[in-house]
Amino acid sequence: RKMDGFSKKAWLMLIGWCIFLVIFKGVVAYFPHHKDSRAFARFIQDSVPFSPGEIVFVQSKPGYGIGFYLDSEVEYVGLKESGPPYDDSLRGKLAEKENRVLWIAKTGDMPRVETELNLMKLSIKPYGDYHKYSIFSILGDFTPGKNGGVDGS
């Protein structure tokens, strides 16, 4: 017999498919993967000796889920660029002089990040790598107009 234009067999297949999708999604959630914000946040909690008030991703797409798990603000800065899609540039962010900032960049970008920081007479304190990301603090005092200036002059 047909119910609302579908046969009983079609309804059972649809219900079975929905149940399969829910179970499949639940099973897949237990497998570790590099985009798991909860695991990344746990790594940060275990590796960083302070609770970050802000997490800044340099030149790499930010993981906003990490902010949820660590109760931190997340920002996205360009190495030299500012404006969309970035919230600010590296120099602009450093000029804010905020405390408890944790910095994250792709491990492959770290030589460029360190070169830019060295030009500003700053250095990094590494906390480790998580998959393709390096986690660090920036050491030193940055003052716009000094340390190479905000515009790089």
Side-chain angles (χ1 to χ4, degrees), residues 1-8 10-11:
R1 141 181 157 220
K2 291 191 174 200
M3 299 185 315
D4 293 72
F6 291 104
S7 69
K8 186 176 181 179
W11 277 109

Side-chain angles (χ1 to χ4, degrees), residues 55-69:
I55 300 167
V56 180
F57 284 80
V58 181
Q59 206 75 24
S60 61
K61 188 176 176 185
Y64 291 105
I66 296 168
F68 171 77
Y69 288 108

Side-chain angles (χ1 to χ4, degrees), residues 68-82:
F68 171 77
Y69 288 108
L70 296 177
D71 193 26
S72 303
E73 183 181 342
V74 174
E75 288 195 28
Y76 181 28
V77 301
L79 193 56
K80 295 183 180 188
E81 308 87 353
S82 63

Side-chain angles (χ1 to χ4, degrees), residues 117-133:
L117 291 170
N118 288 337
L119 291 172
M120 294 183 270
K121 299 174 179 60
L122 302 172
S123 60
I124 69 161
K125 176 176 175 58
Y127 296 114
D129 293 341
Y130 181 81
H131 292 280
K132 62 181 178 178
Y133 296 102

Side-chain angles (χ1 to χ4, degrees), residues 23-94:
I23 291 171
F24 180 74
K25 185 170 176 107
V27 169
V28 169
Y30 285 99
F31 288 100
H33 58 91
H34 73 281
K35 291 188 177 185
D36 184 351
S37 294
R38 182 176 21 203
F40 198 172
R42 196 173 310 118
F43 177 83
I44 289 170
Q45 286 175 323
D46 293 343
S47 304
V48 178
F50 61 92
S51 176
E54 187 168 26
I55 300 167
V56 180
F57 284 80
V58 181
Q59 206 75 24
S60 61
K61 188 176 176 185
Y64 291 105
I66 296 168
F68 171 77
Y69 288 108
L70 296 177
D71 193 26
S72 303
E73 183 181 342
V74 174
E75 288 195 28
Y76 181 28
V77 301
L79 193 56
K80 295 183 180 188
E81 308 87 353
S82 63
Y86 304 110
D87 297 319
D88 206 341
S89 67
L90 177 64
R91 289 175 185 265
K93 187 66 192 164
L94 287 168

